[in-house]
Amino acid sequence: MRVVLGIESSCDETAAALVREDRVIIAQRIASQDEAHRPYGGVVPEIAARAHVERLAPLIAAVLADAGMELADVDAIAATAGPGLIGGVMVGLVSAKALAMASDKPLIAINHLEGHALSPRLADSALHYPYLLLLVSGGHCQLLEVRGLGNYKRLATTIDDALGEAFDKTAKILGLGYPGGPAVERLAASGNAKAVPLPRPLFGSPEPHFSFAGLKSAVLRAKQAGIHADADIAASFQQSAVACVIDRTRRALAAAGDVTALVVAGGVAANMAIRGALEPLAAEHGLPFSAPPLALCTDNAAMIAWVGIERLGQSDSFVADPFDFAPRPRWPLDPDAAPVRGAGVKA
Ligand code: KG4
Ligand code: ZN
């Protein structure tokens, strides 16, 4: 059975994993940089790149040792080649090129977003194409029709902030530190979601796009007003965000072609309020709901290795990527998607 070594270094997690084609994660390690970035309230690209340089090689050696394997035993080396912070992406991709060259194995350059998009298939062998995917992370907020490997139709994106960004900014406003999503979710659990009236940007609008900037500003005003408990603000924020997500996803389900499942992936897919609201929405449409386990939601290398497995599985048409494959700071999953009116420069 094929085994792929996956490498992830596009943001603030340095990660390596060995994944087998029968969906077994043979070994994986993730070195989080949360501590290094915490004093700055967000990821500092230079600090991240340096940390990847220091950590990646020992991490790969450790993963191979955990599995009792050598480089000679793997079938390919897959690394995130974008989108993400360019310094980190370069570290991972150059390392993968060196290892592939030295061991005479194919290099597979992976789109980080494709890693998130297909991670539910690593976790769920019953999940088949095509499916509707809500991809929500710190940098992205999209609804995609996943039609097959390498075949993605973007139905919606955010015109301002990503959902994870909205969680992180809310955390900052409430003094909860970084990373913010899990902290906001924890605090929201003890708050009253009806206490603070907050807007639901784009709720009900015909196209399924997202907007969170207005919600974030309203959170700031609510905090500055000084009359609400932080837990109530967190709970009200989360409820508004979830309401927007469900409304937009419902809209996308109506616009999508025939799909076999509703799927959520990306770091924010770890949020239980979002999962809990998506499940009945799927049921309403007679669709199964699929979400990867929490460890596969946030950045990891197993999802990168898995895309490598899927690429190798194309057997006849598989082509390794060239050693001069350039890192791509921007790399949309659907290059044909039309720009959205009002949207900024984010990919
Ligand atoms: O996918 P990811 O690890 O990195 C990117 O590619 O962006 O996503 C990180 C994002 C951060 O914004 C983080 O705050 C958010 O996912 N996140 C959450 C939760 N866990 C992580 N947001 C809400 N609730 C959570 N439980
Ligand atoms: Zn990610």
Side-chain angles (χ1 to χ4, degrees), residues 81-322:
L85 300 172
I86 188 72
V89 173
M90 282 169 66
V91 173
L93 185 57
V94 165
S95 306
K97 286 174 180 175
L99 293 174
M101 214 177 272
S103 61
D104 199 21
K105 302 286 179 186
L107 168 76
I108 312 182
I110 306 288
N111 183 324
H112 177 82
L113 297 173
E114 192 169 30
H116 281 303
L118 304 192
S119 63
R121 284 171 51 81
L122 167 56
D124 182 356
S125 62
L127 177 60
H128 298 293
Y129 300 122
Y131 52 85
L132 185 78
L133 171 73
L134 171 68
L135 176 51
V136 277
S137 69
H140 298 272
C141 186
Q142 304 186 348
L143 282 154
L144 295 147
E145 214 179 298
V146 178
R147 296 171 167 175
L149 178 62
N151 186 355
Y152 312 98
K153 178 162 171 57
R154 196 192 76 189
L155 301 173
T157 187
T158 177
I159 64 167
D160 42 56
D161 295 347
L163 183 53
E165 210 175 339
F167 269 92
D168 291 337
K169 285 175 179 169
T170 294
K172 209 165 183 176
I173 291 165
L174 298 179
L176 300 178
Y178 170 85
V184 170
E185 181 174 13
R186 266 194 306 277
L187 184 60
S190 60
N192 173 7
K194 295 200 179 79
V196 188
L198 293 172
R200 297 177 173 183
L202 292 185
F203 194 99
S205 83
E207 285 192 287
H209 297 305
F210 298 89
S211 168
F212 294 106
L215 176 55
K216 170 194 66 191
S217 311
V219 166
L220 179 61
R221 286 193 298 275
K223 172 70 182 173
Q224 287 169 339
I227 50 171
H228 302 290
D230 284 356
D232 290 348
I233 298 177
S236 301
F237 159 77
Q238 185 170 264
Q239 192 186 52
S240 284
V242 170
C244 291
V245 164
I246 295 306
D247 173 66
R248 310 289 66 211
T249 307
R250 177 178 280 121
R251 209 39 85 146
L253 279 167
D258 276 341
V259 290
T260 61
L262 175 62
V263 175
V264 66
V268 189
N271 186 284
M272 287 302 166
I274 291 174
R275 286 176 180 239
L278 285 169
E279 197 160 6
L281 178 67
E284 208 180 279
H285 288 76
L287 295 172
F289 172 65
S290 186
L294 300 191
L296 277 182
C297 288
T298 43
D299 287 347
N300 65 87
M303 68 182 190
I304 303 303
W306 175 252
V307 181
I309 294 273
E310 292 220 18
R311 287 267 299 273
L312 278 181
Q314 291 176 308
S315 44
D316 289 353
S317 59
F318 171 75
V319 193
D321 287 306

Side-chain angles (χ1 to χ4, degrees), residues 34 64 118 315 340:
D34 285 353
L64 286 166
L118 304 192
S315 44
V340 180

